[in-house]
Amino acid sequence: MKAYINGVQLYYKESGRGDAVLLVHGFPLNHTIWLPQARALASRYRVILPDLRGHGRSEVPPGPYPMDLYADDLAALLDHLQVERVILGGLSMGGYIAFAFYRKYMHRLRALILADTRAGADAPEGRERREAMARLAEKEGAAAIAAQMLPNLLGPYARERRPALVARVQNMMARTNPTGIAGALRGMAQRPDATPLLPTIAVPTLILVGESDALTPPAEAERMAAAIPGARLMVIPQAGHLSPLENARAVNRAVLGFLADLNQR
Ligand code: MLT
């Protein structure tokens, strides 16, 4: 489906009926990273998978795309779908957006799922790296970004044994619009530190991390889990930074268990 949301055409995929679960992809990816979860959840939940502005089949306006703007897009999408409160999951950049959403729209959250993400802001060198990457995308296109990112995204299990998955992730990145890539990079570089937010998070929170996540390693997830009151941490075996794709079965089990417990509260 496509809809005109917050000034741009956004694509989203919706399936199932029940409590709304909104799953947000990372950078420079698209909604398809969450398809295995949509399939597993749709018999009991209304699952919404958006393509963020600048990504997938959504419109690519000029950037930067600050995380607050993405949060506004998601809130407007929920308005469009007449969803008042949501269980919000985000992978990596999707997690940064979840923190922005929490800051701005706390009253609309039922629960949080933070997958392969971090709370901290970029250090100055990190911001410079993002700007260099944004320029590389603008100059040489998305394939150069895909080549640079691929080795760090997937864990050794997928890299060594799942060539089709490797090719799929590479294609997904290489097909992302370079203007969208640059917009997201410059938006991520501006994001504030969400660490002070963690002890204030008052909704049930599930934290997922691939055991071989090289970008946002398990130690990062452990720190977040220790800081968020009552958070549940699941380390996903045989997975790197893209745990929902790399070990869909384990992620599905963790998410279904977390959601079932929410309904007992
Ligand atoms: C992502 O997967 O969304 C990115 O790796 C996040 C980042 O670059 O910080």
Side-chain angles (χ1 to χ4, degrees), residues 179-238:
T179 301
I181 290 179
L185 283 163
R186 293 187 176 118
M188 285 192 281
Q190 295 175 13
R191 76 189 192 284
D193 183 8
T195 312
L197 207 68
L198 302 181
T200 74
I201 293 182
V203 294
T205 301
L206 172 66
I207 299 175
L208 303 171
V209 64
E211 66 175 354
S212 315
D213 185 340
L215 293 177
T216 49
E220 196 72 51
E222 280 161 22
R223 274 196 292 277
M224 282 194 296
I228 300 175
R232 183 187 295 186
L233 170 66
M234 299 286 281
V235 178
I236 305 297
Q238 295 182 343

Side-chain angles (χ1 to χ4, degrees), residues 7-243:
V8 289
Q9 283 281 336
L10 292 187
Y11 173 87
Y12 62 93
K13 184 175 169 64
E14 203 185 358
S15 44
R17 270 199 220 165
D19 293 341
V21 181
L22 174 64
L23 298 174
V24 183
H25 64 79
F27 162 88
L29 305 167
N30 61 47
H31 75 278
T32 60
I33 65 153
W34 287 113
L35 281 178
Q37 287 65 47
R39 281 187 209 110
L41 300 179
S43 61
R44 271 173 264 176
Y45 299 92
R46 179 179 181 188
V47 187
I48 305 154
L49 309 183
D51 277 345
L52 295 166
R53 63 169 68 205
H55 293 74
R57 297 190 219 166
S58 287
E59 194 181 328
V60 186
Y65 313 143
M67 301 301 104
D68 278 5
L69 175 63
Y70 276 139
D72 294 341
D73 288 351
L74 296 180
L77 175 63
L78 294 178
D79 291 342
H80 173 77
L81 297 172
Q82 299 184 327
V83 173
E84 183 47 39
R85 291 183 76 216
V86 75
I87 297 150
L88 174 61
L91 179 125
S92 200
M93 181 175 80
Y96 311 159
I97 297 167
F99 289 129
F101 191 95
Y102 185 83
R103 257 189 222 103
K104 295 192 81 165
Y105 303 104
M106 192 187 305
H107 58 284
R108 300 190 71 166
L109 272 181
R110 271 196 69 198
L112 272 175
I113 301 169
L114 302 170
D116 301 288
T117 192
R118 68 170 76 241
D122 289 353
E125 320 80 78
R127 269 182 231 129
E128 281 166 25
R129 261 198 310 276
R130 297 237 195 245
E131 183 53 35
M133 248 175 115
R135 293 196 183 155
L136 179 70
E138 287 166 339
K139 199 157 160 256
E140 296 189 16
I145 302 298
Q148 187 173 318
M149 288 194 67
L150 191 65
N152 292 322
L153 276 186
L154 298 168
Y157 186 83
R159 282 204 310 271
E160 286 156 24
R161 301 196 199 188
R162 300 186 63 191
L165 180 63
V166 174
R168 187 172 146 204
V169 171
Q170 178 159 22
N171 281 337
M172 205 187 302
M173 292 193 284
R175 290 170 61 177
T176 302
N177 187 297
T179 301
I181 290 179
L185 283 163
R186 293 187 176 118
M188 285 192 281
Q190 295 175 13
R191 76 189 192 284
D193 183 8
T195 312
L197 207 68
L198 302 181
T200 74
I201 293 182
V203 294
T205 301
L206 172 66
I207 299 175
L208 303 171
V209 64
E211 66 175 354
S212 315
D213 185 340
L215 293 177
T216 49
E220 196 72 51
E222 280 161 22
R223 274 196 292 277
M224 282 194 296
I228 300 175
R232 183 187 295 186
L233 170 66
M234 299 286 281
V235 178
I236 305 297
Q238 295 182 343
H241 189 57
L242 301 186
S243 58

